[in-house]
Amino acid sequence: MDRYPPIAAHGLVGDLQTGALVSAEGVVDWFTAPRFDFPSIFAALLAHDRGGLFRLSPDDPACSRKQLYYPDTAVLVTRFMPPDGVGEVLDWMVPLTLGAATARHTLFRTVRVVRGTVRFSMECRPRFDYGRASHTLEINPRGASFRSAGTTCHLSTGIPLEREGDDVHGAVTLTSGQAAAAVFTVCGADESAPAPLTVDGVTEQLWETVDFWQRWLRTSCRTACAARRAPSASARSSTSTPWPGRAAAARPVRVREDAHLRQPRRPLRRGDRPQR
């Protein structure tokens, strides 16, 4: 793992109130909540050993990889190509469109195998307030909860978890057509965990998010070519809805050109699935 990857080797996902940076190695190494300017939960981008991270990637660290956005959206796709197959990690946050500030924010991470067999490893190591605040860990059949002063994080996943100090790690082996999910929710100290979601439920959230971004781009005043639409969506995701203003400049991001995820001629609907 690259301990300090450059900013250009990251993608941005957000919900219009906060956002996370995901490296091309499948590592969330920057995430603050409930706002862009609040203390961090993952900040390995600044301090790898003490900042905290959330990794979801294949076991083979030397496999080739490619990071792109799903066309016309801020849904980030990181593709891994180890020797025995092809796997993808999809990262996104559901946009909060009501405008009112909220303390609950959810990062969705889905892994799926396009071809062959791929073993994915996961490690979740939150470090609250730039590593200055301690936390406790509770593991339950649905995942794990990390509790710190004023903030609780719930990790819901079907991937078997093992404890490592106050952190968790796990692994899952998937074959072509299979998928798994990890849902990371940040909320107030006294708030309960959200209802657990199945892989199908998470997939439904994914297509609703895709619909939102594609509708937003269709109704915007932009007339730029398709090659500039993904940067527009990622730039929008870095804008705070309650307090209008850009949190950061989004990096230029390539639009996915794979044949099985090519831009559809009509708006993507929930029933659509990429052709393989």
Side-chain angles (χ1 to χ4, degrees), residues 194-252:
L197 289 174
T198 63
V199 173
D200 289 341
V202 172
T203 302
E204 183 68 17
Q205 294 275 6
L206 167 63
W207 294 112
E208 290 179 1
T209 301
V210 168
D211 287 346
F212 168 85
W213 287 115
Q214 292 186 341
R215 286 197 310 269
W216 177 79
L217 280 168
R218 288 198 305 271
T219 57
S220 70
C221 297
R222 291 178 172 83
T223 59
C225 64
R228 297 182 59 185
R229 290 176 183 169
S232 298
S234 62
R236 178 69 178 95
S237 69
S238 69
T239 303
S240 176
T241 298
W243 305 278
R246 184 73 54 79
R251 70 180 178 94

Side-chain angles (χ1 to χ4, degrees), residues 149-171:
T151 304
T152 297
C153 298
H154 301 286
L155 175 63
S156 177
T157 181
I159 300 174
L161 298 178
E162 295 183 12
R163 186 179 191 127
E164 185 177 350
D166 288 328
D167 308 321
V168 295
H169 66 90

Side-chain angles (χ1 to χ4, degrees), residues 94 102-108 140-147 152-157 182-198 202 205:
V94 176
T102 176
R104 183 178 289 259
H105 301 270
T106 302
L107 172 65
F108 291 86
N140 56 68
R142 299 178 298 179
S145 296
F146 307 87
R147 302 184 185 277
T152 297
C153 298
H154 301 286
L155 175 63
S156 177
T157 181
V183 181
F184 188 83
T185 301
V186 181
C187 57
D190 299 326
E191 294 189 46
S192 59
L197 289 174
T198 63
V202 172
Q205 294 275 6

Side-chain angles (χ1 to χ4, degrees), residues 24-26 56-60 63-68 76-91 110-120 172-180 256 258 260-261 276:
E25 294 181 320
L56 189 55
S57 62
D59 279 343
D60 186 357
C63 69
S64 59
R65 51 191 178 267
K66 187 177 183 181
Q67 192 174 63
L68 300 157
L76 187 66
V77 182
T78 307
R79 168 169 281 194
F80 298 92
M81 290 161 277
D84 297 329
V86 177
E88 293 178 335
V89 177
L90 282 72
D91 290 283
T110 300
V111 295
R112 64 183 185 184
V113 172
V114 178
R115 184 176 69 249
T117 301
V118 181
R119 176 181 168 85
F120 288 92
V172 62
T173 300
L174 303 175
T175 59
S176 179
Q178 292 184 322
R256 184 158 209 145
D258 303 60
H260 72 290
L261 285 181
R276 295 175 181 168

Side-chain angles (χ1 to χ4, degrees), residues 119-156:
R119 176 181 168 85
F120 288 92
S121 295
M122 180 179 71
E123 57 178 314
C124 187
R125 299 195 279 116
R127 295 293 183 269
F128 297 86
D129 193 10
Y130 304 97
R132 295 178 296 185
S134 61
H135 69 272
T136 60
L137 169 66
E138 300 173 8
I139 296 181
N140 56 68
R142 299 178 298 179
S145 296
F146 307 87
R147 302 184 185 277
S148 184
T151 304
T152 297
C153 298
H154 301 286
L155 175 63
S156 177

